[in-house]
Amino acid sequence: MQDLNDLALFAAVVRNNGFSAAARDLNIPKSKLSKHVARLEEQLGVRLLERSTRKLRVTEIGRVFYEHCQSLLDGVAVAEAEIAAVRAEPTGTVRLACPLGFTPMLADILPAFHRRYPGVRLLITATNRRIDLIEERIDVALRARDQLDTDNQLIIRRFGEVRQRLAASPTLLARFDDVTIDNLSEMPTLSMNESHATDVWRLVDTEGNTTEISHRPIIGCSDFLILERAAIEGMGVALLPDHICERAFRAGVLAPVLPEWSSGDVVVHLVFPSRHGMLPATRALIDYLADNLLNAMQKCREIVPKGAGSFEI
């Protein structure tokens, strides 16, 4: 194993075309340079440089060795730069994209992120459309989908799964004697489908049985917050994500409908273009979301309706 300093000093001599120029560039004595290069040649057992009083020539094997040395030194420089970037205080702007349904959860956890990293500015794009991270210059995207992304250009960090639950206001449920999976379609409903007059809920029960409920919603909207508000006002039954149901059930403004039935699991994950050259601010946000979003999701699986006793998912 060669001394990295010897390799660096030898490379400096070749790069500067001589000992004198290299000594001036590095601000060290010429004799020290000569000593290190001589020791390197002795250890390798080959002549790297041909010296004369007026000229220095790099031997053929010396040229090959120099190219490898320079490649190694460049790699060390890159590694040191990346470590310095990781240790630096995160600052700058990070662009985050997320589905509309996750904005309440982000609103709960992002203030603490700002207190921890006051130099980081967040630009959040909240939309249910598919985001092209490269084209739209998005640093990190939060996604909730049936399957993980398979784009080879993206790095994936998985958190876990969420489900959607049937929920309605207590006042609406009081108007119906008995709600079953068979008569659910006869109740007023609210839907995420904003394109068609009819919708289909694909549900699974705790035993793994599946069913499809075809219904004609009173409101169709891709924003869960609008559906939540409409459900609270007693307009209909909504199929809402865990994290929205959690706060509404705890507040007592919504109640579970057929709690043994829910949507299938949706995988929640982060995607980002590459770890190489990632800014400290982006890395800080990814790590923060990995720690805190998972905790928030787990909390949403412990729903306790106000005044209705315990309710476990």
Side-chain angles (χ1 to χ4, degrees):
M1 181 69 69
Q2 303 301 322
D3 189 324
L4 191 60
N5 288 325
D6 289 350
L7 302 184
L9 294 175
F10 163 71
V13 172
V14 176
R15 199 166 52 246
N16 286 276
N17 297 312
F19 284 91
S20 298
R24 289 192 298 270
D25 183 43
L26 299 175
N27 194 28
I28 62 174
K30 179 181 175 181
S31 59
K32 181 177 181 179
L33 268 179
S34 181
K35 179 181 177 181
H36 278 273
V37 172
R39 182 174 66 182
L40 182 61
E41 289 179 321
E42 182 180 353
Q43 291 174 343
L44 293 173
V46 296
R47 177 72 70 179
L48 300 174
L49 302 172
E50 294 289 352
R51 305 166 182 82
S52 70
T53 56
R54 302 174 64 180
K55 191 175 181 180
L56 180 140
R57 185 181 69 84
V58 184
T59 65
E60 184 176 347
I61 188 63
R63 178 63 61 182
V64 173
F65 187 69
Y66 165 74
E67 291 175 356
H68 286 293
C69 285
Q70 195 58 55
S71 177
L72 175 63
L73 294 170
D74 289 343
V76 171
V78 170
E80 288 178 339
E82 292 198 359
I83 291 174
V86 170
R87 295 179 61 186
E89 181 67 24
T91 59
T93 300
V94 181
R95 292 172 172 82
L96 169 68
C98 73
L100 290 168
F102 277 84
T103 53
M105 191 181 296
L106 287 177
D108 287 340
I109 65 176
L110 287 182
F113 175 81
H114 174 68
R115 288 191 292 271
R116 184 181 300 181
Y117 304 109
V120 178
R121 297 177 180 273
L122 294 180
L123 298 180
I124 302 175
T125 300
T127 178
N128 289 335
R129 67 176 175 84
R130 185 179 182 88
I131 289 285
D132 186 322
L133 275 72
I134 306 300
E135 184 69 22
E136 302 183 48
R137 298 173 58 243
I138 297 295
D139 298 305
V140 186
L142 175 64
R143 290 179 174 170
R145 297 182 177 169
D146 295 337
Q147 295 180 331
L148 291 172
D149 288 270
T150 57
D151 191 333
N152 293 330
Q153 292 182 308
L154 300 177
I155 308 298
I156 297 173
R157 190 158 180 177
R158 176 174 176 164
F159 294 149
E161 295 79 29
V162 295
R163 289 192 170 192
Q164 295 177 19
R165 311 286 168 177
L166 294 165
S169 72
T171 55
L172 176 67
L173 294 177
R175 291 163 40 196
F176 294 85
D177 294 333
D178 185 31
V179 181
T180 68
I181 196 66
D182 295 321
N183 64 19
L184 179 61
S185 60
E186 300 173 10
M187 298 186 66
T189 59
L190 310 167
S191 168
M192 266 202 76
N193 191 333
E194 58 187 17
S195 304
H196 303 284
T198 60
D199 189 20
V200 176
W201 285 336
R202 293 172 177 82
L203 305 176
V204 59
D205 69 7
T206 53
E207 302 297 323
N209 302 307
T210 61
T211 189
E212 293 187 352
I213 306 297
S214 179
H215 58 105
R216 293 179 61 85
I218 295 174
I219 292 179
C221 178
S222 60
D223 189 340
F224 280 121
L225 299 184
I226 292 178
L227 299 182
E228 177 197 26
R229 188 64 204 179
I232 291 172
E233 295 297 329
M235 296 182 66
V237 178
L239 191 63
L240 299 173
D242 284 338
H243 53 278
I244 292 180
C245 288
E246 183 266 343
R247 66 178 187 181
F249 286 170
R250 289 183 187 276
V253 294
L254 288 179
V257 179
L258 303 175
E260 68 275 17
W261 290 93
S262 67
S263 71
D265 284 333
V266 176
V267 182
V268 179
H269 55 288
L270 282 180
V271 293
F272 42 95
S274 172
R275 289 190 178 92
H276 181 70
M278 181 182 292
L279 294 176
T282 303
R283 190 184 302 275
L285 178 63
I286 291 172
D287 291 342
Y288 180 85
L289 291 177
D291 292 339
N292 293 274
L293 198 60
L294 179 59
N295 292 336
M297 288 167 52
Q298 291 173 341
K299 176 184 175 183
C300 292
R301 291 183 175 270
E302 302 169 355
I303 302 173
V304 183
K306 184 178 180 181
S310 172
F311 174 70
E312 277 190 71
I313 297 178

